[in-house]
Amino acid sequence: MRKRKYEELELDDGTVVRYRRHDNGGGMVAMRAQADPSARIEETAWVDPDATVCADARLGPGCWVEPGARVEKGAYLATAVHVGPDAVVGPYARIGSRTRLGAGAHVLARVTVGTDLEIPAGARVTSAGVEQEGRAA
């Protein structure tokens, strides 16, 4: 059975968002999102409007990248990772399965984040750990 190339979803406010299947993996990418052709977006992953997925990034099954979020070059998101609005996953960062990044959170380059974690909104994740409002959490 052939899959549809486009899907449309209606949001709670009545806005209709159109998604297209990414050529590399078949994941759904909003028409107003940017996804590099070299990125791998698995079939059950979603990229919302105004989000960006850069070159060589990989989104595993069930990942969700919300509006305004950015997944930088070479970043890897395992299964069911949720990247909140305006959050940033830095270049070559690794995010473990079922981890949730809050709105505006920032994972720095080459940092590995474990599984089943909740990163607070606005937090900054470095190799030393999670910092919020200028201090370690």
Side-chain angles (χ1 to χ4, degrees), residues 10-111:
E10 184 174 349
L11 305 179
D12 291 339
D13 66 2
T15 304
V16 175
V17 179
R18 189 172 197 198
Y19 292 83
R20 68 188 181 287
R21 290 207 176 273
H22 192 267
D23 289 336
N24 190 8
M28 302 306 291
V29 178
M31 298 301 287
R32 286 191 4 229
Q34 302 265 328
D36 190 274
S38 68
R40 174 81 181 174
I41 301 174
E42 294 295 333
E43 187 174 349
T44 56
W46 290 78
V47 179
D48 280 344
D50 303 318
T52 302
V53 179
C54 296
D56 302 319
R58 182 174 176 136
L59 277 60
C63 287
W64 177 20
V65 180
E66 288 203 60
R70 185 171 179 87
V71 179
E72 295 285 353
K73 179 178 176 65
Y76 173 78
L77 280 58
T79 303
V81 173
H82 178 195
V83 180
D86 301 313
V88 176
V89 178
Y92 303 100
R94 301 285 181 257
I95 311 296
S97 294
R98 299 170 305 280
T99 291
R100 296 175 55 89
L101 301 178
H106 190 154
V107 178
L108 297 184
R110 301 189 186 279
V111 169

